[in-house]
Amino acid sequence: MTDLLAAPSTLPQERRLVTEVPGPRSRELMGRRNAAVSAGVSTTLPVFVERAGGGVLVDVDGNSFIDLGAGIAVVSVGNAAPAVVEAVQQQVAAFTHTCFMVTPYEGYVAVCEELARLTPGDHEKRSALFNTGAEAVENAVKIARHATGRQAVVAFDHAYHGRTNLTMALTAKNMPYKHRFGPFAPEVYRAPMSYPFRDAPGTTGAEAASRAIAQIEAQVGTANVAAVLIEPIQGEGGFVVPASGFLPALADWCRQAGAVFVADEVQTGFCRTGDWFACEHEGVVPDLIATAKGIAGGMPLGAVTGRAEVMDAVHGGGLGGTYGGNPVACAAALAAIGTMRAQDLAGAARAIGDTMLPRLRALAERTPAIGDVRGRGAMVAVELVRPGTTEPDAELAGRVARACHAAGVVVLTAGTYGNVLRFLPPLVIGQDLLDEALDVLDEAFAAPMPPLTSRPPASPA
Ligand SMILES: *Cc1c(COP(=O)(O)O)cnc(C)c1O
């Protein structure tokens, strides 16, 4: 096991196209997919995957793609990471499920111990495990309401928190997440985000926080606020990095207001931004932290971790679920966390940022449509606009993404206006592969694909 924690993927780490994209076998499967799978489930890049590992995805036609999406920030340790595979195989052969609420098992407890060690703050902590990010966020809200006896939850412009009824209400963007799916859960309020590219020039984090807090106090009322919920760097919203001072000011306000400060680190957590958690960058200690995505190397797992007195406020049986903290997912999480530690994947994320941000800034210098380059660690993005304005250009984002896909690089779009290209490589991606992906991106901006007659599909999460 110790050796496996440092083991690389055995799959050749290369970009190699042997057919057009998508190839004939993928097109055939796409036909079956369209006849069997709901049209409500979208596809960013219609190539069917056969194998994946390290920084590549290999499709059923034998094409090998450089992966700058990591399954939306999930396979940070690499796809089919050797230690994760071994841990899953051992656990699945021992037992697959008991339901932790019926008869417990050690793996669940060990994951909660790791969460207590790794999350910010040295206070006493407890965790509860679930299956998805939305479930984690939803439970964080339940816990905050129960612990405070209050109902109002504050979320932010451009926020993404999931697709369940409560998390749809917390999510800001109508299409595709909310459109015609209402009515939404009540007692959810939206406050203005700190968005340096779109705020008045020079707006500080403290000023943006004052603006948000004034709105909360006036429209919700301090005494009604159970929780302030925020992504420390917004994910689906377009990798919006708030101005420094914004998050600490909100956390301070919560402390004074008796509200629970909840960090949704579902996308930012587990080394993605160059720290174990993005909140650490400004020394912010959330009361509750929701995690999922990168936690378990691709197995479904979500968690809420936080102050013991808040987490333990809930009556026995108030939290849980049949599958929450499934033993196979817990085994995968322990192996993924071990891999992050053994390979210093937080350091790897910082190195990825150190490669990508200067390259993207150089690209922006010669590309007037790139209005902003931002991000931290291995969570970086470019926002595309009509040159010289802040007017979003989603069409160009779609064209550049398609050009990258056609050239063998998986990139994702994001943003309330759909005009952001976001990059989330596996943290184990090799330097050569990353450099090559950036070359492809340069070429895609030099000659983006022709416009689509219909809109490109919206990004998945
Ligand atoms: C993806 C995401 C979620 C939802 O997670 P699911 O596992 O898809 O339910 C919630 N919050 C953030 C910040 C996310 O990026």
Side-chain angles (χ1 to χ4, degrees), residues 209-291:
S210 300
R211 174 178 68 183
I213 288 163
Q215 184 168 318
I216 295 165
E217 288 177 344
Q219 297 186 10
V220 189
T222 307
N224 298 319
V225 179
V228 172
L229 167 67
I230 190 162
E231 301 155 85
I233 296 177
Q234 290 182 323
E236 166 57 21
F239 288 13
V240 178
V241 185
S244 75
F246 182 70
L247 296 172
L250 290 176
D252 285 347
W253 182 84
C254 284
R255 204 165 303 121
Q256 284 157 28
V260 178
F261 184 73
V262 185
D264 178 349
E265 293 238 20
V266 169
Q267 193 156 157
T268 49
F270 288 98
C271 301
R272 176 55 52 188
T273 66
D275 291 297
W276 279 97
F277 296 95
C279 276
E280 291 170 57
H281 189 73
E282 289 192 82
V284 171
V285 178
D287 299 309
L288 298 181
I289 175 163
T291 54

Side-chain angles (χ1 to χ4, degrees), residues 132-135 137 160-162 231 264 266-267 292-293 461:
T132 66
E135 240 192 308
V137 171
Y160 182 84
H161 297 292
E231 301 155 85
D264 178 349
V266 169
Q267 193 156 157
K293 291 202 167 101

Side-chain angles (χ1 to χ4, degrees), residues 367-387:
T367 313
I370 298 181
D372 195 24
V373 176
R374 58 178 179 253
R376 194 184 304 148
M379 185 168 182
V380 298
V382 294
E383 176 156 2
L384 305 187
V385 293
R386 312 260 169 231

Side-chain angles (χ1 to χ4, degrees), residues 348-367 370 372-382 423 431 434-435 438-439 441-442:
R350 291 193 295 273
I352 289 169
D354 289 345
T355 295
M356 294 196 79
L357 286 165
R359 287 273 317 251
L360 294 173
R361 288 190 187 114
L363 176 63
E365 285 291 307
R366 54 183 194 273
T367 313
I370 298 181
D372 195 24
V373 176
R374 58 178 179 253
R376 194 184 304 148
M379 185 168 182
V380 298
V382 294
F423 310 106
Q431 183 70 39
L434 187 60
D435 289 335
L438 288 162
D439 293 341
L441 187 70
D442 283 349

Side-chain angles (χ1 to χ4, degrees), residues 120-164:
D122 50 17
H123 50 279
E124 200 172 333
K125 295 171 194 160
R126 303 280 186 272
S127 291
L129 304 184
F130 305 97
N131 304 290
T132 66
E135 240 192 308
V137 171
E138 182 139 358
N139 277 280
V141 170
K142 283 171 63 174
I143 294 162
R145 284 179 169 159
H146 194 107
T148 58
R150 304 174 182 179
Q151 295 188 350
V153 180
V154 176
F156 288 80
D157 288 331
H158 314 289
Y160 182 84
H161 297 292
R163 296 171 179 271
T164 59

